[in-house]
Amino acid sequence: MSATDTNRFREMLLTERERVQKALDNLHEENPGTMEEETGDETHDQHLGDIATAMHDREVDYTLEDNSEQLIGAIDAALARIEDGSYGVCTNCGKPIGEERLEALPWADRCIDCARQLS
């Protein structure tokens, strides 16, 4: 892969990393405390539906947070592969990862065939 290509993908990765980090920071700002702090010690005074909604919303936020952290890890790994010269090469079989795949998922570490085998 040429230096021009890796520079373009590096910029794509950095832009996506910044976007995901902002979303993650926003989740942390919206939910700074624990579930107990949100619902309070007086849960017996709250309607069960309100408690269930709060718990569901918090669970969704935890899932989004986990996914965001995993994506940031994948982006960081892709940036490291750019630095060490292995970007665009499947970490499983060693074949080149198609440019179309990298356009769609610039943090991809496997070619489409190896990714399908893992699904």
Side-chain angles (χ1 to χ4, degrees), residues 89-108:
V89 177
C90 179
T91 58
N92 190 52
C93 70
K95 294 179 183 176
I97 299 172
E99 190 165 338
E100 292 143 3
R101 179 161 171 75
L102 291 174
E103 287 287 339
L105 298 169
W107 51 85

Side-chain angles (χ1 to χ4, degrees), residues 63-108:
T63 300
L64 290 171
E65 181 179 3
D66 187 47
N67 290 343
S68 295
E69 288 171 349
Q70 288 180 19
L71 182 53
I72 287 173
I75 290 170
D76 289 345
L79 290 167
R81 289 192 302 277
I82 288 174
E83 293 305 313
D84 71 18
S86 64
Y87 183 78
V89 177
C90 179
T91 58
N92 190 52
C93 70
K95 294 179 183 176
I97 299 172
E99 190 165 338
E100 292 143 3
R101 179 161 171 75
L102 291 174
E103 287 287 339
L105 298 169
W107 51 85

Side-chain angles (χ1 to χ4, degrees), residues 52-67:
T53 298
M55 290 177 70
H56 176 267
D57 290 347
R58 183 56 70 100
E59 197 61 36
V60 168
D61 289 343
Y62 286 152
T63 300
L64 290 171
E65 181 179 3
D66 187 47
N67 290 343

Side-chain angles (χ1 to χ4, degrees), residues 5-21:
D5 289 340
T6 56
N7 285 336
R8 183 170 60 86
F9 284 115
R10 179 183 289 114
E11 288 304 314
M12 289 171 65
L13 288 162
L14 290 171
T15 299
E16 182 65 8
R17 189 184 195 293
E18 182 179 347
R19 185 192 69 75
V20 173
Q21 186 62 56

